[in-house]
Protein backbone atom coordinates (compact mmCIF):
# COMPACT_ATOMS: atom_id res chain seq x y z
CA UNK A 1 0.00 0.00 0.00
CA UNK A 2 1.39 3.40 -0.91
CA UNK A 3 2.64 5.54 1.96
CA UNK A 4 3.07 2.71 4.47
CA UNK A 5 6.39 1.62 5.94
CA UNK A 6 7.65 -1.67 4.50
CA UNK A 7 6.90 -3.58 7.72
CA UNK A 8 3.40 -2.12 8.28
CA UNK A 9 0.34 -4.34 7.89
CA UNK A 10 -1.69 -2.72 5.08
CA UNK A 11 -5.11 -3.75 6.44
CA UNK A 12 -5.27 -2.80 10.15
CA UNK A 13 -9.02 -2.13 9.88
CA UNK A 14 -9.91 -5.71 8.87
CA UNK A 15 -10.63 -6.75 12.47
CA UNK A 16 -13.35 -4.06 12.70
CA UNK A 17 -14.91 -5.25 9.46
CA UNK A 18 -14.83 -8.92 10.50
CA UNK A 19 -16.42 -8.11 13.88
CA UNK A 20 -19.10 -5.98 12.26
CA UNK A 21 -19.94 -8.59 9.63
CA UNK A 22 -20.13 -11.28 12.31
CA UNK A 23 -22.69 -9.19 14.21
CA UNK A 24 -24.68 -8.54 11.00
CA UNK A 25 -24.65 -12.26 10.21
CA UNK A 26 -26.00 -13.07 13.69
CA UNK A 27 -28.82 -10.52 13.38
CA UNK A 28 -29.99 -10.83 9.76
CA UNK A 29 -30.21 -13.02 6.65
CA UNK A 30 -26.78 -11.81 5.53
CA UNK A 31 -24.21 -14.62 5.40
CA UNK A 32 -20.48 -13.95 5.40
CA UNK A 33 -18.96 -16.37 2.92
CA UNK A 34 -15.41 -15.05 2.94
CA UNK A 35 -13.86 -13.22 5.90
CA UNK A 36 -11.38 -11.11 3.98
CA UNK A 37 -9.26 -12.20 1.03
CA UNK A 38 -6.58 -9.98 -0.46
CA UNK A 39 -6.98 -9.44 -4.19
CA UNK A 40 -4.31 -7.12 -5.50
CA UNK A 41 -4.49 -3.93 -3.46
CA UNK A 42 -8.00 -4.54 -2.08
CA UNK A 43 -9.41 -6.84 0.57
CA UNK A 44 -12.54 -8.68 -0.50
CA UNK A 45 -15.37 -9.83 1.77
CA UNK A 46 -18.05 -12.00 0.15
CA UNK A 47 -21.49 -11.63 1.69
CA UNK A 48 -24.64 -13.36 0.45
CA UNK A 49 -27.97 -14.78 1.62
CA UNK A 50 -30.12 -11.63 1.54
CA UNK A 51 -31.65 -9.30 -1.01
CA UNK A 52 -29.59 -6.66 -2.76
CA UNK A 53 -30.95 -3.82 -0.63
CA UNK A 54 -30.00 -5.56 2.64
CA UNK A 55 -26.57 -6.59 1.31
CA UNK A 56 -25.76 -3.09 0.08
CA UNK A 57 -27.00 -1.56 3.35
CA UNK A 58 -24.67 -3.87 5.30
CA UNK A 59 -21.78 -3.12 2.95
CA UNK A 60 -22.43 0.60 3.28
CA UNK A 61 -22.31 0.39 7.09
CA UNK A 62 -19.00 -1.51 6.84
CA UNK A 63 -17.51 1.25 4.70
CA UNK A 64 -18.31 4.13 7.07
CA UNK A 65 -16.29 3.65 10.31
CA UNK A 66 -13.07 5.56 10.86
CA UNK A 67 -10.08 3.61 9.63
CA UNK A 68 -11.83 1.86 6.73
CA UNK A 69 -10.20 3.27 3.59
CA UNK A 70 -12.04 5.80 1.47
CA UNK A 71 -13.00 4.51 -1.94
CA UNK A 72 -14.69 1.34 -0.72
CA UNK A 73 -17.02 -0.30 -3.20
CA UNK A 74 -19.27 -3.30 -3.57
CA UNK A 75 -19.46 -5.54 -6.61
CA UNK A 76 -22.95 -6.89 -7.15
CA UNK A 77 -22.75 -10.25 -8.88
CA UNK A 78 -24.34 -13.65 -8.88
CA UNK A 79 -23.35 -17.15 -7.88
CA UNK A 80 -21.99 -17.85 -11.33
CA UNK A 81 -19.24 -15.21 -11.18
CA UNK A 82 -16.08 -17.28 -11.33
CA UNK A 83 -13.75 -14.41 -10.51
CA UNK A 84 -13.59 -11.80 -7.78
CA UNK A 85 -14.68 -8.38 -8.98
CA UNK A 86 -17.00 -9.39 -11.81
CA UNK A 87 -20.33 -7.60 -11.72
CA UNK A 88 -21.81 -4.15 -11.22
CA UNK A 89 -19.56 -1.89 -9.13
CA UNK A 90 -21.39 0.21 -6.51
CA UNK A 91 -19.52 2.99 -4.66
CA UNK A 92 -19.97 2.95 -0.89
CA UNK A 93 -21.65 4.32 1.10
CA UNK A 94 -24.52 3.23 -1.12
CA UNK A 95 -27.47 5.25 -2.41
CA UNK A 96 -30.64 3.19 -2.78
CA UNK A 97 -30.38 0.97 -5.86
CA UNK A 98 -32.51 -2.08 -6.41
CA UNK A 99 -32.32 -5.24 -8.49
CA UNK A 100 -31.93 -9.00 -8.15
CA UNK A 101 -28.66 -10.28 -6.71
CA UNK A 102 -27.42 -13.46 -5.10
CA UNK A 103 -24.11 -12.33 -3.65
CA UNK A 104 -22.00 -9.29 -3.16
CA UNK A 105 -18.25 -8.85 -2.97
CA UNK A 106 -17.34 -6.01 -0.64
CA UNK A 107 -14.01 -4.37 -1.44
CA UNK A 108 -12.94 -1.76 1.12
CA UNK A 109 -10.49 0.73 -0.37
Amino acid sequence: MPGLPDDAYPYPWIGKVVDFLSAVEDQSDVEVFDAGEEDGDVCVFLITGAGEEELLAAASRVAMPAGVPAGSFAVVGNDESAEVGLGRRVPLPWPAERGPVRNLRLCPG
Side-chain angles (χ1 to χ4, degrees):
M1 299 289 286
L4 287 177
D6 290 340
D7 62 344
Y9 181 58
Y11 306 107
W13 45 267
I14 286 179
K16 285 183 189 178
V17 171
V18 169
D19 291 346
F20 174 81
L21 288 175
S22 178
V24 167
E25 189 172 35
D26 291 344
Q27 300 169 10
S28 70
D29 292 334
V30 172
E31 298 173 28
V32 179
F33 185 75
D34 189 350
E37 175 182 322
E38 292 180 36
D39 183 39
D41 62 350
V42 299
C43 186
V44 177
F45 296 84
L46 176 60
I47 60 176
T48 188
E52 181 174 342
E53 185 172 333
E54 188 173 358
L55 292 172
L56 286 172
S60 190
R61 290 191 311 271
V62 165
M64 292 193 291
V68 174
S72 297
F73 61 94
V75 177
V76 178
N78 62 45
D79 291 340
E80 286 142 35
S81 294
E83 293 183 42
V84 170
L86 295 180
R88 179 171 51 94
R89 186 175 170 145
V90 178
L92 298 173
W94 153 79
E97 293 184 21
R98 303 209 191 314
V101 67
R102 293 186 183 195
N103 69 49
L104 176 124
R105 289 182 170 91
L106 168 64
C107 308

